[in-house]
Amino acid sequence: MSRAVHPDTTSRTSTTPLTPATASTRMKALTVPAMLAIGGFVSVQSLINGQLAAGLGTGLRAGALAAVISFGSGLVLLTAWVLLHRPSGRRLRGLYRGVRAGDVPLRLLLGGLFGAAFVASQGLATGLLGVALFIVCFVAGQSVTALLVDHFGWGPSGRTAISLPRLFGSVLAVVAAVLSGVQVGLSSTSVTPALVLTAALPLLAGAGTSIQQGLNGRVAVHAGPWPTTWNNFLVGTAGLLVFLALSFLAPGELVGLPGQWWLYLGGLFGIAFISLSTVMVRIHGVLVLGLWAVAGQVVAAVVIDLVVAPEELGPLSWVAAGLTLVGVLGAMTLRARGVR
């Protein structure tokens, strides 16, 4: 007889599930830095995986291999953790027992495919688009879809209708990303069919990331963050291996593994933002998590430019960073005052 998987009750009782409605104001305030860090990890990982793909070779196969290395290395590290950390191992086994028993819908375990698509898009698109345009498209897809994920109740907190404060925050997030891109020359980028098709990759990846966060939050209710993250990396790595095999049907070549050690840290950043997201989405919901993550992405991009390319910084970079913070704080303030 199979045992039903038990909900994760870390810091909450089983009769009071952790949701944006039950999370305390203090808890929400204390977890803001974690949401900013999630966005920062996304920006750094995009830079790493884009450069790893460029160093591996050309064509689809280079981007696919970069994604497999990023996801695969994360899976190895997480497997070691769940083997050594017995509570995580027990919860992981309980998760799959719950799937077999019908207590956990199988579709909830497929969030890793959206994560895989995002990591693959980093290697495939940043070379042609540049990091700035990549982030603009990603933020647009993420912000709009986050509204829909909350509205239709696909996340762990149930339905949250689209409202003026939430729409305000999403619009400012997209505007901030566009300003950041314009600052580094987005407005001078030649529009070609190849550019438009490539731009669709991060747009769809951003949409998928919001769906992934919603699915992961629901899985984490049953299994906790580490088993949820491990399942994400398992499913994502499997999907990426299929993609890598198919990529050899397209033109391209692999020239070998780059020698820079830091190009292989993408998996660590992936572990960090996926595991954090599975917790944060239960406290804040998909949209609020997404808005703070966008702020973290833009601020991280400014910091990266300060270190790597200070000549690309300008007034719009600082305005963009400020707008993301205004957007999320404004949305939360309007909601607190009862504006619908």
Side-chain angles (χ1 to χ4, degrees):
M1 180 177 178
S2 59
R3 293 172 56 195
V5 62
H6 294 289
D8 176 38
T9 56
T10 303
S11 77
R12 310 293 295 183
T13 67
S14 59
T15 57
T16 309
L18 182 60
T19 68
T22 61
S24 67
T25 302
R26 182 171 181 268
M27 177 184 289
K28 290 180 178 180
L30 290 175
T31 52
V32 165
M35 292 188 290
L36 288 170
I38 288 170
F41 294 152
V42 169
S43 289
V44 175
Q45 189 194 45
S46 296
L47 176 66
I48 289 173
N49 287 345
Q51 295 200 16
L52 175 59
L56 286 169
T58 60
L60 281 178
R61 64 190 66 180
L65 181 56
V68 168
I69 290 173
S70 180
F71 247 75
S73 61
L75 178 61
V76 170
L77 293 173
L78 284 166
T79 299
W81 171 252
V82 297
L83 289 175
L84 294 172
H85 188 245
R86 291 184 178 181
S88 292
R90 285 196 297 269
R91 286 183 172 181
L92 181 61
R93 291 189 294 272
L95 173 63
Y96 291 129
R97 283 197 298 268
V99 172
R100 289 195 298 270
D103 299 317
V104 180
L106 180 62
R107 66 180 182 276
L108 297 185
L109 303 187
L110 301 181
L113 293 177
F114 295 104
F118 168 53
V119 173
S121 72
Q122 292 172 332
L124 294 172
T126 51
L128 178 61
L129 301 179
V131 175
L133 182 52
F134 181 93
I135 293 297
V136 169
C137 296
F138 177 82
V139 167
Q142 182 185 33
S143 299
V144 173
T145 307
L147 282 171
L148 299 177
V149 169
D150 278 348
H151 179 73
F152 290 109
W154 297 339
S157 56
R159 293 176 180 269
T160 305
I162 297 175
S163 61
L164 179 60
R166 298 169 71 80
L167 193 59
F168 170 79
S170 295
V171 169
L172 277 193
V174 175
V175 170
V178 171
L179 288 178
S180 179
V182 169
Q183 181 62 61
V184 296
L186 173 62
S187 58
S188 62
T189 301
S190 299
V191 177
T192 64
L195 184 74
V196 173
L197 289 175
T198 305
L201 294 177
L203 184 72
L204 294 173
T209 296
S210 288
I211 297 172
Q212 179 192 26
Q213 289 170 344
L215 294 177
N216 286 350
R218 293 178 65 181
V219 174
V221 169
H222 296 282
W226 290 116
T228 301
T229 305
W230 186 90
N231 177 76
N232 256 252
F233 274 80
L234 175 68
V235 173
T237 300
L240 286 170
L241 286 172
V242 174
F243 175 54
L244 176 61
L246 294 175
S247 72
F248 282 88
L249 299 175
E253 64 173 344
L254 298 175
V255 297
L257 296 173
Q260 299 95 323
W261 61 270
W262 56 271
L263 291 179
Y264 302 96
L265 297 180
L268 280 175
F269 286 104
I271 290 173
F273 76 70
I274 291 177
S275 58
L276 279 174
S277 294
T278 62
V279 178
M280 295 301 106
V281 73
R282 296 173 61 192
I283 299 172
H284 298 275
V286 175
L287 179 62
V288 173
L289 167 60
L291 293 178
W292 279 112
V294 167
Q297 287 174 47
V298 175
V299 171
V302 170
V303 173
I304 290 171
D305 283 344
L306 278 172
V307 176
V308 178
E311 70 279 0
E312 293 185 351
L313 281 177
L316 291 182
S317 300
W318 301 105
V319 170
L323 270 181
T324 59
L325 296 176
V326 169
V328 68
L329 290 173
M332 297 175 75
T333 300
L334 287 172
R335 186 174 62 177
R337 292 182 176 180
V339 177
R340 299 296 178 187

